[in-house]
Amino acid sequence: MDERTYCLTPEQWRHAKACLTLAKRLGLIEDDTPAALEKRRAAKNAAAARCKADGTMVYGVRHYSAPAYLQFELTRFKLDFAEPCGKIRALGVCPDFTEAQTRAWYDANRDLFTRYFGDSFSYEESRQIIEKRMREEVYDNLVQDILCESADRQGRE
């Protein structure tokens, strides 16, 4: 399996593999290899096929292609971190933010909180979204750290 299987550039594939590595480190998956990714995809597709055969309603995607399943997992991992699932909370890796931190982020990014006619959402209306965006930034930094580890290893070889 390589980046062509998932319709990615080599750089995008490196990023995807770093996200899989982070998911493994966080305990969201047991194996971050492409072979394990394909096993999870096959299991997901088989579960949907069983539901269809049993006449059970299947919501959402009924068959994942390799690229679609990869994107599904990468999105799920980021959401599990940004809207912390139990595993993530238990690890203590997902930060909580102070009022001052979220207020400062809101003030620095007010343009993100405007309605169609230009009026703004208040800080109070936006606080949950702000915290989620801040956690997404932390997640992206963790992925970047893994990419740097990989680059450091390659530089020493």
Side-chain angles (χ1 to χ4, degrees), residues 3-135:
E3 66 269 6
R4 291 174 299 204
T5 304
Y6 300 100
C7 302
L8 300 174
T9 65
E11 187 61 29
Q12 290 169 326
W13 179 235
R14 279 186 64 243
H15 186 270
K17 289 193 307 185
C19 292
L20 290 166
T21 298
L22 179 58
K24 180 180 176 184
R25 289 180 185 178
L26 295 174
L28 299 175
I29 56 175
E30 292 182 22
D31 189 342
D32 62 349
T33 63
L37 173 67
E38 283 305 303
K39 282 183 182 177
R40 291 190 300 273
R41 178 173 77 96
K44 186 88 167 161
N45 285 339
R50 279 191 304 278
C51 287
K52 185 178 179 187
D54 294 344
T56 306
M57 183 67 67
V58 177
Y59 295 97
V61 179
R62 293 184 184 124
H63 181 81
Y64 284 92
S65 65
Y69 187 76
L70 175 63
Q71 290 308 309
F72 165 77
E73 278 208 346
L74 297 182
T75 300
R76 184 176 55 89
F77 300 150
K78 193 169 192 172
L79 285 174
D80 283 350
F81 192 90
E83 297 175 358
C85 66
K87 274 186 178 178
I88 299 296
R89 285 243 181 249
L91 287 173
V93 295
C94 193
D96 289 317
F97 301 103
T98 65
E99 175 90 16
Q101 289 171 312
T102 55
R103 174 65 75 171
W105 200 95
Y106 174 79
D107 290 340
N109 296 282
R110 281 186 184 260
D111 59 314
L112 298 177
F113 301 100
T114 57
R115 293 182 178 92
Y116 180 75
F117 291 108
D119 58 322
S120 294
F121 289 96
S122 70
Y123 168 76
E124 291 74 21
E125 292 173 300
S126 307
R127 175 134 189 191
Q128 277 188 307
I129 295 164
I130 294 165
E131 289 178 359
K132 181 181 172 199
R133 292 292 299 266
M134 291 173 76
R135 283 191 204 98

